[in-house]
């Protein structure tokens, strides 16, 4: 069953996660080759793209939000420093898988410093691992009962992520809620998408068929196309708060460097 993925953009300032936070963006989501569904997708994966195909996808996922309540979201949002991820839950196997996913993202995004944290105090990305039956209660704990009902009514999520940004559009903190008991493919599919979207690319698009940020696409791994998008976003020349008009002139030079990196780490042909 396709995991639903939607977005909720909230502009209200609050002191705690139990209420809406400034610039918080919620992403509702619906590695590895030994999982048949993932291996099948990797064998069929498209890996060669034109510049225009990559740029189109980047502009669509880096700006805007599929569903938002208030305010404009037409600026680059990203972390501007190290990203540290802490997993909170009782499933040791899922924690180990999450650590591998984080390491995989780190290995494929050149200018993103991301790693696991030993404690929650050291983390700016908190991942809550819960049973499916506890998902709604966990969302209510994070965002309050009224907001949880609104999220459920609007998004009906199976997994959820969100982030808070400051007035400079720098992401300061992200929260990810993942269910652990819906099978390996769903876990990997959700974990990759939610972690990546909690880093900034929050807009879904149905017009780009190669990205996991498409409601009709399930990946379960960090595909080449999305590596292009995340490497563009985290290139130092693409800064938090930039508009589309500011980003577009930079993309040819940035993309040339990104192509070299993605080709190298994926052993793609020249």
């Amino acid at each position: 069953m396709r995991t639903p993925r939607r977005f909720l953009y909230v502009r209200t300032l609050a002191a705690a996660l139990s209420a809406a936070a400034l610039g918080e963006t919620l992403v509702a989501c619906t590695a590895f080759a030994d999982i048949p569904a993932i291996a099948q997708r990797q064998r069929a994966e498209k890996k060669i793209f034109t510049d225009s195909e990559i740029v189109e996808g980047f502009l669509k996922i880096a700006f805007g939000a599929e569903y938002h309540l208030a305010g404009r979201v037409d600026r680059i949002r990203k972390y501007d420093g190290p990203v540290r991820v802490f997993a909170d839950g009782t499933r040791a196997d899922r924690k180990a898988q999450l650590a591998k996913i984080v390491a995989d993202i780190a290995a494929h995004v050149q200018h993103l410093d991301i790693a696991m944290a030993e404690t929650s105090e050291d983390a700016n990305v908190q991942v809550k691992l819960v049973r499916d039956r506890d998902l709604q209660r966990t969302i209510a704990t994070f965002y309050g009962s009224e907001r949880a009902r609104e999220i459920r009514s609007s998004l009906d999520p199976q997994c959820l992520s969100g982030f808070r940004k400051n007035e400079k559009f720098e992401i300061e903190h992200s929260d990810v809620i993942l269910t652990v008991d819906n099978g390996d493919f769903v876990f990997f599919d959700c974990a990759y998408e939610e972690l990546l979207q909690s880093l900034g690319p929050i807009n879904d698009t149905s017009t780009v068929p190669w990205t996991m940020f498409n409601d009709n696409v399930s990946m379960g791994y960090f595909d080449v196309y999305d590596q292009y998008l995340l490497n563009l976003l985290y290139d130092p020349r693409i800064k938090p708060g930039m508009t589309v008009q500011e980003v577009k002139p930079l993309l040819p030079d940035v993309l040339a460097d990104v192509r070299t990196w993605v080709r190298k780490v994926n052993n793609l042909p020249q």
Side-chain angles (χ1 to χ4, degrees):
M1 180 178 179
R2 185 73 181 97
T3 305
R5 298 179 293 189
R6 297 291 184 269
F7 308 94
L8 174 63
Y9 182 80
V10 184
R11 198 173 62 174
T12 306
L13 178 63
L17 284 174
S18 59
L22 174 64
E24 182 170 302
T25 304
L26 297 179
V27 185
C29 174
T30 45
F32 298 116
D34 58 345
I35 300 173
I38 293 177
Q40 180 182 4
R41 285 163 171 79
Q42 288 177 320
R43 286 192 296 268
E45 180 185 359
K46 175 180 168 67
K47 296 182 179 180
I48 306 301
F49 303 95
T50 66
D51 286 357
S52 61
E53 287 172 338
I54 296 170
V55 168
E56 176 191 8
F58 175 73
L59 295 176
K60 286 181 176 179
I61 65 99
F63 295 93
E66 184 181 22
Y67 179 80
H68 59 92
L69 295 177
R72 296 181 62 83
V73 286
D74 52 357
R75 303 260 181 174
I76 290 291
R77 292 137 296 183
K78 61 189 283 190
Y79 278 95
D80 191 27
V83 178
R84 294 296 177 262
V85 182
F86 179 76
D88 179 13
T90 60
R91 286 278 298 266
D93 59 334
R94 294 305 191 201
K95 288 183 178 182
Q97 290 168 336
L98 184 69
K100 290 181 180 180
I101 290 169
V102 169
D104 187 41
I105 293 171
H108 288 91
V109 184
Q110 184 175 17
H111 298 291
L112 174 63
D113 178 3
I114 185 171
M116 297 299 294
E118 292 293 331
T119 68
S120 60
E121 291 77 17
D122 296 329
N124 45 14
V125 178
Q126 302 278 347
V127 180
K128 185 72 172 177
L129 303 174
V130 303
R131 294 172 298 183
D132 186 67
R133 69 185 188 188
D134 296 326
L135 177 61
Q136 188 62 24
R137 183 165 65 248
T138 303
I139 294 173
T141 300
F142 272 58
Y143 302 105
S145 298
E146 182 177 351
R147 183 69 64 188
R149 286 193 296 270
E150 184 177 334
I151 292 169
R152 183 174 184 177
S153 174
S154 300
L155 312 177
D156 190 23
Q158 188 168 31
C159 301
L160 192 74
S161 68
F163 61 71
R164 296 196 308 267
K165 63 175 180 56
N166 61 26
E167 67 282 356
K168 298 179 181 178
F169 296 88
E170 300 164 341
I171 301 175
E172 296 183 326
H173 182 91
S174 300
D175 288 285
V176 177
I177 305 172
L178 301 176
T179 55
V180 298
D181 53 355
N182 286 308
D184 285 338
F185 180 77
V186 170
F187 181 78
F188 282 111
D189 189 43
C190 268
Y192 270 107
E193 184 179 359
E194 299 299 343
L195 277 173
L196 292 173
Q197 292 195 303
S198 75
L199 299 175
I202 56 152
N203 196 30
D204 256 11
T205 174
S206 61
T207 62
V208 180
W210 315 290
T211 177
M212 69 179 74
F213 310 127
N214 181 330
D215 282 342
N216 300 313
V217 176
S218 295
M219 291 290 188
Y221 67 99
F222 195 10
D223 58 290
V224 168
Y225 186 79
D226 289 317
Q227 289 178 39
Y228 278 121
L229 305 191
L230 268 294
N231 275 283
L232 284 174
L233 179 62
Y234 273 87
D235 186 278
R237 288 163 286 189
I238 306 299
K239 300 184 183 301
M242 278 187 167
T243 64
V244 173
Q245 291 73 25
E246 291 170 325
V247 166
K248 277 185 175 181
L250 304 176
L251 288 179
D253 287 342
V254 174
L255 181 54
D257 292 340
V258 165
R259 278 195 178 279
T260 300
W261 170 260
V262 172
R263 184 183 303 121
K264 174 184 175 182
V265 295
N266 291 279
N267 296 313
L268 298 178
Q270 295 289 332

